[in-house]
Amino acid sequence: MSTINVTRKHNLSKEAMAEKLEALEKNPSSAHVTWKREGNKILLVGKSALVKGSTGEVVLGPNSIEITLVLSGMASFFKGMVEEKLNEQLDELLQ
């Protein structure tokens, strides 16, 4: 298993962040993951064959977003690619 931890500062309002996350959740690349919102957290569970068994947590703070992903099995081999894609999506999200 491999772990990815990313923390980013942001200056988005709570409402703007909620709108952006909703759009990200509907993104076709998110089809591999089940999202479950719990307050200021989003719990992620991999559901496609490549990411099955992988889990994650997104914690939304007033000035930051913290993401922890635990990649299992085959997904561990693609840690670099997953981390790169995550950072790309965060760059887009936080604009």
Side-chain angles (χ1 to χ4, degrees):
M1 289 202 180
S2 296
T3 303
I4 297 172
N5 293 299
V6 176
T7 300
R8 293 279 188 87
K9 301 253 185 241
H10 69 78
N11 58 2
L12 298 172
S13 69
K14 192 175 186 177
E15 295 79 18
M17 180 62 82
E19 286 176 18
K20 288 181 176 270
L21 287 172
E22 188 173 311
L24 182 61
E25 188 176 355
K26 292 177 182 176
N27 184 311
S29 67
S30 297
H32 303 283
V33 180
T34 299
W35 294 55
K36 181 179 180 188
R37 293 187 192 193
E38 292 183 352
N40 70 329
K41 292 183 184 179
I42 300 170
L43 305 177
L44 307 169
V45 178
K47 64 181 182 180
S48 72
L50 182 60
V51 294
K52 194 165 186 103
S54 297
T55 59
E57 181 178 78
V58 179
V59 179
L60 305 170
N63 300 312
S64 67
I65 181 169
E66 297 176 30
I67 301 172
T68 302
L69 299 176
V70 179
L71 306 176
S72 66
M74 296 247 328
S76 294
F77 293 109
F78 300 100
K79 179 182 179 184
M81 188 183 335
V82 171
E83 193 163 10
E84 182 178 326
K85 188 68 174 171
L86 173 63
N87 281 304
E88 286 175 11
Q89 288 190 344
L90 274 174
D91 288 343
E92 289 177 26
L93 178 77
L94 297 177
Q95 288 182 356

